[in-house]
Amino acid sequence: MTAPPPATPAPPTPPSATPEDASPIRPASADPTAKNLGGQAVRGSAWTTLLTVGNRLVQVGSQLVLAYLLLESDFGLVGLAYSVAAFAAFIRHAGIGVVLLQRQRRFARWAEPATWLSLAAGLTAGGLLAGAALPASWVYDEPALAGVILVLALAMPFDALMTVPFARLRVDMRFRTVFFLEWGTALAVALTSIGLAFTGWGVYSFVLPKLIVGVLAVPVAWRLARVPPPRHLRLTRWKYILGGSLWVTGGGMLIQVINQGDYAVLGLYLPAEMVGLYYLAFVIATQSMTLVTLNLGGVLMAALSKMRGDLPRQSKALTDALTAIAAIGMPICFTLAAVAEPLVGALLEPRWEPSGELLAWLSLGIAFRLIGHNGNIFLQATGQWRKYLWLNAVNAVAFLTFCWAGVELGGMTGVAIAVSLFYVAYSYGYVAVALPAATPGRWTAPVRVMRDALWTSALAAALAYAATLAFANDWAALIVGGLVSVAANALLMIAFRRAYMLELFGRLAAGLTRRTKPTPSAPAPAPTPRPPHADALR
């Protein structure tokens, strides 16, 4: 790997940037909103953590109910469909939301062309996905796959229209609104999915709700964000948005290789039923990541973008955030790994039993992935587009290599182990390479942010796993193992990390008790009445 460029007073300017975006950026300390930024980020993180607990419960609960109503092959088909749709799904946003966050001080100037460009990207993505439906069904030898993909294609334009309002809400740091909106959408999708599954819609129970709810959610999001409806195409400005977003889109497409490559490899080697077992295990395993880092990552992206021009401050903000994410996320992931097999045995029918071992391995890997993911966010927020692209290219090739070796050596279990080993390397490499070359202790930073959380979580999980072995009944093993893990983590935190954890939870609690006022991204000539998945389908 080549060494990253040294830190500079201002972040790299995206290619083809307009004169307005290429102008010198004042130091973050001179920004009158800088004093409130830390508090806004804490409050955003607090609301994100609280409200997305409900979101995760909805999604996990719906998947468990669907596992009773649907077949393993239905889960496998939707997993294969998403492995195809994820690439088109990234085109639908084309990195436009990231560019809007980067240019938030002149958001009003770029919102109108960004809306039309998002719609064009959504229509293009939908068309490409529809064209890929039949070839994908031939490649995977699953005729029913084409219809599932076509439904996802129809949903693409409506999802693309959510880009600008969500960007506006994030610029204004209105994370409470963002996650109420996301939670409401997730609940509507879950209830609709269960209703369709109960009435015999099979695999379409997964995808039709995304189309139905997507159509209804668009006007709600625009109204909440208070973005004026677009009137003019502003075609001359499209190229300036695309100039920055093409790098984001290219890197994001490579990320989708990591997000979906394991499904694709499994689909080529194994029947849909086995892909379904892996798919359900991965869905459950990733809920902890979605809760802890994908949603907090939205807060981190907005906060880092507001620090433009101050790379040292951005670097410190990243390592502080990663330390907090490790402290919260690693105990959850390791606990889930310890109780994975009794969890599947207690909550699901015996036909899903193989998912337990897969869930254990994948949960261990997710504990590391949640660290590496935020190195990705850091590169986007600091505008390091070229590094973002080549680093994701290296990771994509490595991930497919790991998956191929895993399926050859051990089938679906081999893939789960290989994916987890990849994420261990991913967590270290992404963070170390993402930090600027001048960052003190750059190559040891990933170890420092994970060290304490890693050994305490691993020890607590080992004790919990040993406790589960003493019980033949799955419910007893699940309850006792979970309690042992919680107690062991709490005791280890009190003994070794008491001061840090009290400070962390104190800041989160304080964030929940104070309201955040929207921060204007730029001075306006007149008062304006205005107070935004994981782009990935996986």
Side-chain angles (χ1 to χ4, degrees):
M1 296 182 181
T2 58
T8 56
T13 304
S16 304
T18 60
E20 291 90 341
D21 294 305
S23 60
I25 299 173
R26 60 183 175 178
S29 57
D31 192 335
T33 66
K35 293 181 179 179
N36 296 324
L37 183 56
Q40 289 176 330
V42 170
R43 289 189 287 274
S45 298
W47 278 108
T48 296
T49 302
L50 178 66
L51 296 175
T52 51
V53 167
N55 198 355
R56 297 310 101 197
L57 290 174
V58 166
Q59 292 199 11
V60 172
S62 67
Q63 293 294 318
L64 294 176
V65 174
L66 291 173
Y68 276 96
L69 299 173
L70 301 175
L71 302 173
E72 298 95 318
S73 58
D74 294 327
F75 280 80
L77 282 173
V78 77
L80 294 176
Y82 285 160
S83 74
V84 179
F87 298 94
F90 209 91
I91 295 174
R92 75 176 181 244
H93 293 302
I96 296 169
V98 175
V99 173
L100 287 174
L101 281 172
Q102 284 281 316
R103 303 180 184 181
Q104 58 186 264
R105 294 177 180 173
R106 305 201 65 177
F107 188 95
R109 172 181 175 83
W110 299 107
E112 196 168 45
T115 300
W116 292 111
L117 185 56
S118 296
L119 179 58
L123 292 170
T124 301
L128 291 173
L129 185 56
L134 278 177
S137 68
W138 298 334
V139 170
Y140 289 120
D141 194 23
E142 295 287 350
L145 186 60
V148 180
I149 293 176
L150 286 173
V151 175
L152 291 174
L154 291 173
M156 289 287 175
F158 300 99
D159 192 58
L161 288 173
M162 303 287 276
T163 301
V164 173
F166 270 99
R168 176 74 266 176
L169 289 170
R170 289 190 169 99
V171 165
D172 290 338
M173 305 292 279
R174 294 173 60 196
F175 294 105
R176 181 168 58 176
T177 302
V178 168
F179 291 105
F180 268 128
L181 181 59
E182 289 191 352
W183 183 82
T185 301
L187 180 62
V189 168
L191 293 176
T192 308
S193 293
I194 293 172
L196 290 175
F198 188 76
T199 53
W201 284 81
V203 66
Y204 289 96
S205 305
F206 288 103
V207 293
L208 276 175
K210 296 182 180 296
L211 174 59
I212 297 168
V213 176
V215 172
L216 299 175
V218 169
V220 175
W222 277 81
R223 182 175 181 83
L224 289 174
R226 303 174 190 174
V227 179
R231 293 184 175 85
H232 306 289
L233 290 175
R234 309 289 186 189
L235 290 172
T236 57
R237 298 180 188 173
W238 286 29
K239 62 180 180 180
Y240 299 118
I241 298 175
L242 286 173
S245 68
L246 286 178
W247 293 93
V248 182
T249 303
M253 292 288 284
L254 291 166
I255 289 175
Q256 295 313 309
V257 176
I258 302 174
N259 287 342
Q260 309 296 333
D262 44 356
Y263 296 153
V265 170
L266 285 169
L268 293 173
Y269 280 81
L270 302 174
E273 290 79 5
M274 300 187 76
V275 181
L277 292 169
Y278 182 94
Y279 175 81
L280 180 64
F282 208 111
V283 167
I284 298 174
T286 52
Q287 296 312 306
S288 55
M289 178 179 171
T290 309
L291 167 64
V292 177
T293 186
L294 290 184
N295 291 306
L296 294 185
V299 180
L300 182 62
M301 169 69 84
L304 289 173
S305 296
K306 286 181 178 294
M307 299 177 191
R308 286 187 66 185
D310 193 344
L311 275 175
R313 187 179 173 210
Q314 288 176 318
S315 299
K316 185 179 185 304
L318 174 65
T319 54
D320 287 348
L322 291 180
T323 304
I325 286 170
I328 298 172
M330 281 193 159
I332 297 174
C333 294
F334 275 77
T335 298
L336 184 57
V339 301
E341 295 192 55
L343 174 69
V344 171
L347 299 180
L348 297 174
E349 295 174 326
R351 59 193 172 101
W352 293 102
E353 183 179 350
S355 293
E357 183 182 8
L358 303 177
L359 175 58
W361 282 110
L362 292 170
S363 297
L364 293 175
I366 294 299
F368 294 91
R369 184 186 179 190
L370 59 83
I371 302 299
H373 172 79
N374 287 281
N376 181 345
I377 289 177
F378 182 81
L379 290 179
Q380 295 181 59
T382 54
Q384 299 181 71
W385 310 117
R386 289 176 177 82
K387 189 192 293 187
Y388 173 76
L389 183 64
W390 73 254
L391 187 53
N392 283 325
V394 171
N395 283 325
V397 173
F399 185 77
L400 290 178
T401 303
F402 271 69
C403 290
W404 173 80
V407 76
E408 285 282 358
L409 296 173
M412 62 180 181
T413 302
V415 171
I417 296 172
V419 166
S420 296
L421 292 175
F422 167 81
Y423 285 140
V424 174
Y426 173 85
S427 65
Y428 175 85
Y430 220 126
V431 175
V433 176
L435 289 169
T439 304
R442 169 192 178 199
W443 296 106
T444 59
V447 177
R448 292 199 309 273
V449 301
M450 291 188 287
R451 180 185 57 213
D452 292 340
L454 178 58
W455 80 262
T456 55
S457 300
L459 178 56
L463 294 173
Y465 179 71
T468 65
L469 298 178
F471 297 88
N473 181 273
D474 288 323
W475 276 106
L478 173 61
I479 294 171
V480 173
L483 290 175
V484 168
S485 182
V486 171
N489 272 298
L491 290 173
L492 289 169
M493 288 177 184
I494 292 172
F496 298 99
R497 310 195 70 198
R498 183 172 181 271
Y500 176 77
M501 298 306 296
L502 285 175
E503 179 187 1
L504 175 60
F505 288 118
R507 293 175 66 186
L508 291 174
L512 291 172
T513 60
R514 290 180 288 180
R515 298 177 63 88
T516 302
K517 296 181 180 180
T519 302
S521 55
T528 307
R530 68 167 190 235
H533 29 59
D535 288 332
L537 282 167
R538 180 171 180 158

